[in-house]
Amino acid sequence: MWQRKSIFILLLSLLLTSFTFAQDTQELEAEQAANKKLKGESVLVNLMKTKNSSLKKELIGVHPRVFLTQSEIEGLKDKAKSQKELWQTALSRVRAMTIEPTPAPAQDRRVQNPVGLGIPEAALAYKVTGEKKYLQAAKKYMEAALSYDVWGYVYNKPDVDLAAGHLLYGLGWGYDLLYHDLTAAEREKYKAKLIRQARLLYDFYKPKSGKTYAYSQNHTFIPMTGLAVAAYALKGEVPEADNWAALPRAIYEGVLGTYSDDGFYYEGIEYWIFSTPWLVHYLDVQLHATGEDLFDAAPGLKLIHKYIAHATLPGAEFHFDYGDTYTGGLTRARKSEDYSRERIDGHFQSSYNVLYNLAKKYKNGEAQGVANWLKKKGQVSAEEMWTFIWYDSNVKSIPIEEQETTYYFKDHDVVFWRSSWEDDATAFSFKCGPSEGHAALEKQKKYPEWRLSSGHAHPDAGSFIIWANGEYLTGDSGYEGLTMTQSHNTLVFDGKGQNHEGEGHDIFYGIPYERINKIKIVDATLDENQVSILADVTAAYEPEIGVKKFTRKFEFKAPGSFTITDAVATNSPKIITSFLHADHKIDKISDNTFELEPNETSLLVEIIAPKTFETKVDANILTAPGKPGFVDKGGDEERGVKLAISTKEKVSQAEFVLKLMVKSEK
């Protein structure tokens, strides 16, 4: 009894002190609720019966088999000799050799995940080198996985969420790789844990009448990838494994079918880094275990390298932080917890190695070039063993310097421009599109069981980010627990912003996508010297706010001149406010002139219209993310400073014209 009481006290303490990001109560309720419009048997039942989830004949009764066979491992032994640098990097990053697994109950943020990633690292190192130290390290991590009675958080989706996906992947692949190196007793206890956890996950996700699936959201496809790996490891030994393999295959029909058409990732770069490897892991395991090639099922996968290249800021240390991406200026100041957490020995952990996989699969020299660029810049990946496996020296790289410096993601309506691929380049981005892309409207009809879960997207239509000479001059504020329009460079009306801001983490929840889809870039002209974008932001605001018209024209002329022109009309008079943000400081030069980030490189702002206005420079206070299941309940946090430019009195028509100029003494 005293042990249970001690554990309860410990967990309560963790609940009160941990600072963790996840869904909020609204999103969790939507996940559990049945859709009354979905009548009869779930479409997944038939998909589970008809889609391929059977092992290739030559793999039946064989171990290892999940991602690699023994003959393929022998090939890796040769590759370790020809690609010594990649192999030594992979060995140096076998975390089980240097990092002790977090002891149970392991309830801090994501601390169980590295155990799942670490098991196969050590196991594969052993299979390639034959050195027993790696075998013992793998077993240490496998024992840690067994010690966690609950995979994940005891207070939020226990055993069925992200940690469960990581640990099923790690223990499942580790069991497969080390099958002949384990004693019979070891195999049985690891198998028993896999069976228990796979059953729990399968029961949560199995098809039911009215059940919906957030196909495009990482909380769905990460657990399903883990379940698939465990299933293919246990096929032939556990009859239930047939269903465990069939369910992810059925769900991935929707995951791939709803994936981004243009390669832009709506959850933001932080979640791309965290979640995209799992998409590729599923495609790899499905191809290797069954022979079914699904890499062409989602055309946007072929454009991922465009997203990564252009979302990466010059210097490759930071990113255009649309969506839930780190902590804004706190991250860029290198002061926040997430800055050190996402770096290994000072190197940014970016999952860039996914591009090596896709470059190899699609014979894509551009993807290879982007990956080589990020590697040269010192970026690292969470699973360097995969960097070694995926890299193919036969893919001819197209250097980043030879790739286009402008790109328009037309499905999500996001534009990127940079003067060059050098570290001192000027770069900017403009965004005005629906949360999950225009194609999502038709995809919802094809996949009626798809439940959009856009909590990591922000109310940022019409916003922009500007960077020059290694400085973030104006832009977004990072990951928020309660996302607000005032954290972005766009407009609010009588203090009210876009979508359902302030009502929960997913501010798009309950809004008909037909209306969200009207948020759009009307026209965009880009070349190396100038950019002209016309966007219609009107539909981003709820009807009761009364915005009849809000169009924004965003113009740029090289080397660093911007003009932002807003035409606004409302149903009734309102105070209209336009925001600009800076990480550190905004100086007032005159009544209509301000300087953002006054330093060697700064952004001068001149207010041309309206003729009469009021301004206020204030700290940017937002709601930080809270603990799992209550992400919208974090406390207040100061991130940078904002300039508010408001009409002096309530008006029903207004024009805002701002001239911005990059000033540099470098």
Side-chain angles (χ1 to χ4, degrees):
M1 179 66 71
W2 68 268
Q3 290 177 319
R4 291 183 180 178
K5 191 172 183 179
S6 297
I7 292 173
F8 174 78
I9 292 171
L10 173 62
L11 293 177
L12 181 60
S13 173
L14 289 167
L15 273 169
L16 295 173
T17 59
S18 66
F19 190 74
T20 312
F21 311 151
Q23 300 152 302
D24 68 4
T25 52
Q26 184 185 69
E27 292 168 292
L28 293 172
E29 289 171 1
E31 185 173 56
Q32 296 166 6
N35 185 336
K36 296 180 180 179
K37 295 181 180 179
L38 298 175
K39 304 294 185 180
E41 185 177 75
S42 170
V43 295
L44 267 67
V45 172
N46 185 58
L47 289 172
M48 288 177 66
K49 294 176 182 177
T50 58
K51 295 300 177 181
N52 186 9
S53 58
S54 299
L55 283 175
K56 291 187 288 189
K57 290 182 180 180
E58 61 268 29
L59 296 182
I60 296 173
V62 172
H63 289 285
R65 67 185 180 206
V66 173
F67 287 105
L68 296 164
T69 60
Q70 186 58 44
S71 64
E72 288 166 327
I73 291 172
E74 295 300 319
L76 290 180
K77 293 179 181 180
D78 293 333
K79 188 175 183 179
K81 298 174 184 176
S82 63
Q83 297 292 336
K84 292 181 180 179
E85 179 197 352
L86 290 179
W87 177 238
Q88 289 305 314
T89 298
L91 286 181
S92 72
R93 290 284 304 283
V94 176
R95 65 199 82 199
M97 295 298 295
T98 59
I99 302 172
E100 288 298 312
T102 302
Q107 293 296 295
D108 273 335
R109 183 178 193 255
R110 294 183 180 176
V111 293
Q112 294 186 14
N113 296 2
V115 175
L117 300 179
I119 292 169
E121 286 175 347
L124 188 57
Y126 167 67
K127 298 300 288 187
V128 174
T129 67
E131 296 181 35
K132 293 289 186 180
K133 63 181 181 180
Y134 294 116
L135 175 61
Q136 296 308 313
K139 288 183 180 181
K140 177 176 65 177
Y141 265 43
M142 292 170 87
E143 291 298 321
L146 263 63
S147 75
Y148 303 149
D149 183 56
V150 170
W151 279 5
Y153 306 112
V154 298
Y155 47 85
N156 183 64
K157 298 177 69 176
D159 295 312
V160 298
D161 203 12
L162 302 174
H166 283 71
L167 288 164
L168 279 169
Y169 160 83
L171 189 59
W173 192 19
Y175 173 87
D176 174 59
L177 281 170
L178 300 176
Y179 187 88
H180 298 294
D181 303 287
L182 302 172
T183 66
E186 287 172 332
R187 280 199 298 270
E188 286 306 310
K189 68 177 179 179
Y190 297 143
K191 183 197 298 183
K193 181 63 169 175
L194 285 169
I195 291 171
R196 177 185 184 274
Q197 300 298 152
R199 281 175 179 166
L200 290 169
L201 193 59
Y202 175 81
D203 286 344
F204 182 81
Y205 278 95
K206 67 184 179 184
K208 302 171 186 174
S209 179
K211 187 172 180 60
T212 59
Y213 295 86
Y215 288 139
S216 55
Q217 224 276 334
N218 71 83
H219 285 272
T220 297
F221 57 76
I222 291 177
M224 286 300 98
T225 297
L227 182 60
V229 171
Y232 288 128
L234 295 176
K235 277 235 181 195
E237 300 175 47
V238 182
E240 294 165 87
D242 290 343
N243 281 335
W244 299 341
L247 179 60
R249 176 61 187 88
I251 288 177
Y252 257 87
E253 191 75 4
V255 171
L256 297 173
T258 61
Y259 187 74
S260 165
D261 272 14
D262 58 11
F264 184 88
Y265 195 65
Y266 76 101
E267 292 194 313
I269 193 69
E270 179 178 359
Y271 276 92
W272 185 96
I273 291 167
F274 177 67
S275 60
T276 303
W278 296 93
L279 293 171
V280 175
H281 286 332
Y282 182 79
L283 296 178
D284 275 349
V285 75
Q286 184 68 9
L287 177 59
H288 192 269
T290 73
E292 183 182 25
D293 188 343
L294 294 173
F295 276 87
D296 289 331
L301 292 173
K302 296 180 180 179
L303 297 169
I304 277 180
H305 66 284
K306 296 287 189 184
Y307 172 66
I308 295 306
H310 292 278
T312 301
L313 286 165
E317 186 179 3
F318 301 110
H319 295 84
F320 288 99
D321 57 346
Y322 292 124
D324 278 344
T325 297
Y326 306 117
T327 53
L330 297 180
T331 302
R332 290 184 287 275
R334 302 169 177 83
K335 295 179 179 178
S336 64
E337 180 271 337
D338 63 23
Y339 180 81
S340 57
R341 184 191 74 231
E342 299 299 337
R343 279 155 179 81
I344 298 174
D345 296 329
H347 298 287
F348 182 64
Q349 185 173 275
S350 70
S351 296
Y352 79 91
N353 61 353
V354 165
L355 301 183
Y356 281 138
N357 180 303
L358 300 178
K360 180 179 181 180
K361 181 62 186 176
Y362 301 128
K363 301 294 186 290
N364 189 322
E366 282 195 352
Q368 189 93 335
V370 176
N372 286 342
W373 170 54
L374 298 177
K375 181 177 182 293
K376 183 178 179 180
K377 286 297 182 183
Q379 292 191 7
V380 297
S381 293
E383 298 178 272
E384 290 292 3
M385 200 62 75
W386 279 114
T387 311
F388 168 68
I389 295 171
W390 286 334
Y391 177 74
D392 183 355
S393 60
N394 294 318
V395 178
K396 185 178 179 181
S397 172
I398 297 176
I400 192 70
E401 295 80 12
E402 296 178 14
Q403 298 190 35
E404 57 192 330
T405 54
T406 63
Y407 200 78
Y408 176 16
F409 292 89
K410 294 184 178 180
D411 190 46
H412 285 79
D413 273 335
V414 188
V415 170
F416 292 91
W417 186 98
R418 68 182 66 209
S419 56
S420 73
W421 291 104
E422 298 299 319
D423 293 356
D424 62 354
T426 294
F428 62 84
S429 178
F430 180 87
K431 183 175 187 288
C432 190
S435 53
E436 297 204 35
H438 292 291
L441 184 62
E442 290 302 313
K443 290 178 180 180
Q444 284 182 294
K445 298 174 184 177
K446 184 176 180 179
Y447 302 96
E449 75 283 5
W450 177 26
R451 182 185 73 257
L452 272 69
S453 182
S454 305
H456 293 308
H458 283 200
D460 57 4
S463 66
F464 54 90
I465 297 170
I466 300 173
W467 170 282
N469 290 315
E471 300 292 337
Y472 196 90
L473 299 179
T474 186
D476 281 11
S477 304
Y479 196 154
E480 295 183 76
L482 205 58
T483 54
M484 302 294 287
T485 306
Q486 66 176 5
S487 294
H488 308 281
N489 294 331
T490 188
L491 303 187
V492 299
F493 299 82
D494 280 347
K496 297 178 181 178
Q498 299 173 6
N499 314 113
H500 288 166
E501 67 164 24
E503 297 181 17
H505 186 235
D506 186 349
I507 51 91
F508 300 97
Y509 181 75
I511 302 176
Y513 207 82
E514 288 81 1
R515 179 159 66 80
I516 295 174
N517 198 49
K518 294 177 182 178
I519 304 169
K520 61 184 177 180
I521 289 177
V522 177
D523 183 65
T525 304
L526 297 76
D527 64 36
E528 60 184 11
N529 295 312
Q530 57 187 8
V531 171
S532 178
I533 301 169
L534 178 63
D536 189 342
V537 199
T538 313
Y541 299 84
E542 292 302 290
E544 57 267 26
I545 295 177
V547 179
K548 292 169 59 178
K549 176 185 178 182
F550 171 19
T551 59
R552 168 164 282 187
K553 191 170 187 180
F554 180 93
E555 298 172 286
F556 167 77
K557 290 185 178 180
S561 176
F562 301 84
T563 302
I564 317 298
T565 305
D566 297 333
V568 182
T570 58
N571 288 334
S572 59
K574 299 181 186 297
I575 296 292
I576 305 170
T577 303
S578 177
F579 288 103
L580 291 172
H581 291 77
D583 282 353
H584 305 104
K585 190 177 182 182
I586 299 177
D587 282 350
K588 183 174 182 179
I589 307 302
S590 67
D591 286 345
N592 73 327
T593 309
F594 293 80
E595 186 173 15
L596 278 62
E597 307 294 22
N599 210 318
E600 289 183 331
T601 299
S602 62
L603 188 68
L604 293 176
V605 178
E606 182 182 4
I607 304 168
I608 306 299
K611 291 183 179 180
T612 59
F613 56 86
E614 292 182 342
T615 60
K616 183 179 181 182
V617 176
D618 205 359
N620 185 44
I621 307 296
L622 50 77
T623 301
K627 61 182 179 290
F630 305 93
V631 69
D632 58 328
K633 299 296 192 296
D636 287 349
E637 185 169 81
E638 182 175 339
R639 295 189 195 162
V641 61
K642 62 176 179 279
L643 167 63
I645 306 164
S646 302
T647 56
K648 199 162 188 177
E649 56 190 26
K650 289 179 178 285
V651 296
S652 54
Q653 284 191 327
E655 181 182 55
F656 282 75
V657 180
L658 306 179
K659 287 192 175 294
L660 284 57
M661 176 68 71
V662 176
K663 172 188 171 186
S664 181
E665 298 175 2
K666 289 186 178 181

